[in-house]
């Protein structure tokens, strides 16, 4: 007996598209809008998300909720939603390197502020 199901029983996994997401995530949004998306797409159990109708087994599986939580926390999108990073303002994937982070910090440190910022320490593992 094989460990894999027969091909006729496998269902292709549905991939989230921009039109499947809450429209508020496709335009620049503030923290309040993102929190509202999380609340509206909260799914207590299995079934369909009440906000977008996406079939879910757990509340974490709603793509609109996942994107909103990632934007709120400043985290990269999960791998299964990484293809949406280009259409969602502020979204990013986890593929940034230390050089990208150094460049971003250099730009942010060069901005004028109220006082001189302390010198940053190098990341762990860098000389």
């Amino acid at each position: 007996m094989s460990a894999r199901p027969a091909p006729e029983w496998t269902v292709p996994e549905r991939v989230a598209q921009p039109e499947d997401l809450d429209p508020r995530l496709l335009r620049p949004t503030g923290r309040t809008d993102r929190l509202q998306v999380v609340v509206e797409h909260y799914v207590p159990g299995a079934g369909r998300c009440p906000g977008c109708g996406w079939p879910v087994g757990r509340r974490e599986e709603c793509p609109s909720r996942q994107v909103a939580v990632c934007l709120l926390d400043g985290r990269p999108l999960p791998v299964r939603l990484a293809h949406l990073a280009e259409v969602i303002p502020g979204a990013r994937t986890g593929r940034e390197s230390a050089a990208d982070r150094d460049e971003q910090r250099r730009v942010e440190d060069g901005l004028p502020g109220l006082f001189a910022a302390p010198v940053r320490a190098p990341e762990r593992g860098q000389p």
Side-chain angles (χ1 to χ4, degrees):
M1 200 165 162
S2 76
R4 283 200 253 164
E8 61 270 11
W9 289 100
T10 59
V11 177
E13 188 174 329
R14 187 172 165 199
V15 178
Q17 298 300 318
E19 58 271 5
D20 296 327
L21 297 177
D22 190 299
R24 292 173 286 191
L25 296 173
L26 300 178
R27 58 181 168 75
T29 59
R31 184 168 180 81
T32 304
D33 288 337
R34 293 176 187 161
L35 284 171
Q36 190 64 37
V37 169
V38 171
V39 169
E40 289 177 5
H41 292 266
Y42 180 83
V43 183
R48 293 200 174 271
C49 173
C52 62
W54 187 267
V56 294
R58 299 182 318 259
R59 66 181 176 172
E60 293 85 13
E61 294 175 358
C62 173
S64 293
R65 185 179 189 283
Q66 284 184 326
V67 168
V69 169
C70 288
L71 291 172
L72 284 169
D73 293 344
R75 293 182 301 172
L77 293 176
V79 173
R80 69 184 197 94
L81 298 174
H83 64 283
L84 298 171
E86 312 228 337
V87 294
I88 301 170
R92 61 186 180 86
T93 58
R95 295 189 187 110
E96 64 184 18
S97 66
D100 295 334
R101 290 190 300 274
D102 286 343
E103 179 61 29
Q104 179 66 25
R105 289 180 184 138
R106 202 173 4 268
V107 168
E108 289 173 354
D109 289 346
L111 296 173
L114 296 175
F115 53 89
V119 177
R120 289 185 189 265
E123 287 188 31
R124 283 192 217 166
Q126 290 188 358

